[in-house]
Amino acid sequence: MTLPDAPLDRLNAIMARLRDPETGCPWDLEQSFQTIAPYTLEEAYEVADAIQRGDMADLKSELGDLLFQVVFHARMAEEQGLFAFDDVAAAMADKLVRRHPHVFGDETPHADAVSQKARWEDIKAAERKERAQHGVLDDVPVALPALARAAKLTKRAARVGFDWPSTDEVFDKLEEEAAELKVEIASGDLETVREEVGDLLFVLANLARKLGVEPEDALSAANAKFIRRFHHIEAELARDGRTPDQSDLAEMDALWNAAKAIDKTAT
């Protein structure tokens, strides 16, 4: 089989060959939208990870993996007579032109990015209305990470006035939810405890949104900080030929505080 020279055409031709019922790959032939979707999410996270690490060589590779996911889904859709890769690209191009009337039309650009983003949201709202999605929250993706989805849900609600006036009220709500959680913990009702933990996390996501902080990014940074400091504990214990399970909480807490001090010095 001779493959086209143009990279995108070549990639689509390879995908078609992988899905060929006679000569394709058995694994690729077995896949469906449902089985491939988790890989699509995984590749998107790997793109974000490469960006966070500042590894541009890896980013190029991960973007290729993510592009392949688009090609895979488009090929399966084409086989079912739904749409093809060119339709996906055309729909995206049309959407970008439609949502940037200040660039591709006669609309005057807004003075700043915040105002322009608000105009973008207005255009998206009009698109939802045309698709008969009349609810403010109708198209917030279910597959988003829960904290990110919580922030997006509250942002949508805030656009129509359903929001606390300031962060003071959010902190009051945090205290209320924390108190309710303590009561349920004391009751021993694990299902209600789960619900109250969810309520507390939702309020925290709302607080992050009001502060202009992406909760997923903030938690990712906290995870990285925890790993860095725990590695310090492991490294210090290793000097004595020990591991964390051969230490105790008091010693590890002291080492943790030392790691915190190192972080503060570094900043």
Side-chain angles (χ1 to χ4, degrees):
M1 176 184 180
T2 302
L3 296 172
D5 292 328
L8 199 49
D9 291 339
R10 185 166 178 254
L11 183 57
N12 275 298
I14 290 170
M15 187 71 253
R17 179 65 182 275
L18 290 172
R19 292 278 296 183
D20 187 293
E22 300 296 329
T23 60
C25 170
W27 186 90
D28 290 277
L29 286 167
E30 288 180 357
Q31 303 313 307
S32 65
F33 294 119
Q34 290 74 21
T35 62
I36 290 298
Y39 295 103
T40 307
L41 291 173
E42 181 181 332
E43 295 300 348
Y45 283 125
E46 290 181 1
V47 166
D49 179 66
I51 292 171
Q52 187 171 2
R53 289 184 286 105
D55 189 336
M56 294 299 104
D58 196 28
L59 176 60
K60 180 179 72 173
S61 175
E62 296 300 346
L63 285 171
D65 291 343
L66 185 57
L67 175 59
F68 179 69
Q69 295 297 308
V70 177
V71 169
F72 207 139
H73 284 287
R75 179 62 195 176
M76 291 187 291
E78 184 173 2
E79 293 167 358
Q80 298 177 32
L82 301 173
F83 55 82
F85 181 85
D86 284 351
D87 299 313
V88 175
M92 188 68 244
D94 290 345
K95 183 187 295 184
L96 287 171
V97 170
R98 185 172 63 251
R99 292 184 180 178
H100 292 82
H102 58 293
V103 176
F104 301 103
D106 299 327
E107 190 171 294
T108 302
H110 288 269
D112 55 72
V114 173
S115 300
Q116 197 63 61
K117 182 66 164 57
R119 174 61 179 134
W120 169 282
E121 293 294 344
D122 289 339
I123 295 171
K124 288 174 63 178
E127 292 172 355
R128 288 194 295 274
K129 188 174 181 179
E130 288 179 4
R131 296 195 303 267
Q133 291 179 312
H134 300 300
V136 172
L137 310 178
D138 280 354
D139 66 341
V140 178
V142 176
L144 279 175
L147 276 177
R149 189 165 190 255
K152 197 170 186 69
L153 289 169
T154 62
K155 182 178 180 181
R156 285 282 185 85
R159 282 179 55 79
V160 295
F162 191 69
D163 193 14
W164 283 295
S166 72
T167 56
D168 290 341
E169 291 81 8
V170 189
F171 278 110
D172 290 341
K173 187 64 176 176
L174 274 176
E175 292 177 4
E176 176 187 327
E177 294 295 348
E180 290 178 2
L181 176 57
K182 288 181 180 179
V183 170
E184 297 305 333
I185 291 172
S187 75
D189 186 340
L190 292 182
E191 185 56 36
T192 309
V193 166
R194 176 178 177 273
E195 181 180 342
E196 293 298 340
V197 168
D199 290 345
L200 188 60
L201 288 171
F202 191 87
V203 177
L204 280 170
N206 206 347
L207 176 61
R209 189 263 312 170
K210 287 190 73 68
L211 293 172
V213 174
E214 290 292 337
E216 284 291 328
D217 293 344
L219 186 55
S220 292
N223 288 342
K225 180 166 60 179
F226 181 87
I227 291 170
R228 184 173 63 252
R229 291 177 180 175
F230 197 80
H231 280 171
H232 175 82
I233 293 173
E234 291 176 315
E236 289 300 309
L237 291 173
R239 293 175 185 272
D240 296 332
R242 292 184 294 146
T243 57
D245 60 318
Q246 296 169 319
S247 179
D248 57 38
L249 180 58
E251 182 181 25
M252 287 191 287
D253 192 48
L255 291 172
W256 175 274
N257 288 330
K260 285 178 63 176
I262 292 171
D263 280 347
K264 289 180 179 179
T265 302
T267 57

